[in-house]
Amino acid sequence: MAGRDAAIHAWRIFEKWGADTLVYESNLGKAWMHQVFTDAFRELQQAGIFPKDIANPPLAPVFSNQGKKLRAEPVAMRYAQQKVHHVGVFEKLEQQMMNFDPITSKVSPDRLDALVHACRHLISGERRSSRILSPLGRKVESLAHDGF
């Protein structure tokens, strides 16, 4: 599939499922990939698929500066915590998930890579909060240093 065709396909899937962001790996494509996705989005705007008043396509580039195993560990933890669920059957993805060995595999698992990037994008938006309790379970109001 050529770059334009792949980008059009990605935007059509985006629209079909009501997504809010298209996440793409920017390592290899850099500005070229962003431009292809933008051009395809504009083409679909002209065709009436997307509203014409959207100035910037909802793109989120991710840059992979970690190895596949390290990059996937937070995602694997979310699976273990049962925070990630698949709705439907994704045979080829599930085969890659079961068969990929980050140490010995020579082939880069495209579907698994995409899943990890998508999950990491979602993880980055997780709400995080923390609170500090005393050993007795009481809230600690301040950690300010008294200068004793």
Side-chain angles (χ1 to χ4, degrees):
M1 192 180 290
R4 176 195 168 272
D5 294 338
I8 293 283
H9 179 73
W11 284 120
R12 288 191 182 276
I13 297 298
F14 172 97
E15 193 274 330
K16 175 182 177 181
W17 294 104
D20 60 12
T21 307
L22 189 126
V23 178
Y24 68 97
E25 187 174 3
S26 64
N27 287 32
L28 301 174
K30 302 213 187 298
W32 172 85
M33 185 167 277
H34 182 83
Q35 191 61 55
V36 169
F37 279 122
T38 299
D39 291 348
F41 186 84
R42 298 282 180 247
E43 188 176 328
L44 292 172
Q45 276 182 313
Q46 293 302 316
I49 305 295
F50 295 116
K52 293 187 180 184
D53 63 339
I54 299 174
N56 296 311
L59 291 166
V62 293
F63 186 81
S64 301
N65 56 356
Q66 300 172 314
K68 291 182 190 314
K69 182 178 183 297
L70 187 60
R71 188 168 61 236
E73 285 177 357
V75 176
M77 179 182 285
R78 297 315 189 282
Y79 273 95
Q81 295 168 336
Q82 298 182 355
K83 291 182 177 182
V84 179
H85 307 279
H86 295 213
V87 178
V89 176
F90 302 93
E91 230 174 275
K92 291 179 182 178
L93 168 62
E94 291 168 3
Q95 285 175 354
Q96 286 184 0
M97 292 173 78
M98 296 302 295
N99 296 326
F100 180 68
D101 179 346
I103 296 169
T104 62
S105 292
K106 302 290 186 229
V107 177
S108 180
D110 55 350
R111 288 171 173 81
L112 181 53
D113 277 348
L115 173 77
V116 168
H117 286 307
C119 287
R120 297 239 355 184
H121 174 74
L122 293 171
I123 288 168
S124 71
E126 285 179 349
R127 296 184 75 187
R128 294 180 179 94
S129 64
S130 61
R131 57 191 173 129
I132 300 172
L133 300 175
S134 74
L136 298 175
R138 296 187 195 116
K139 280 190 176 181
V140 177
E141 296 302 325
S142 172
L143 294 178
H145 178 61
D146 290 340
F148 47 83

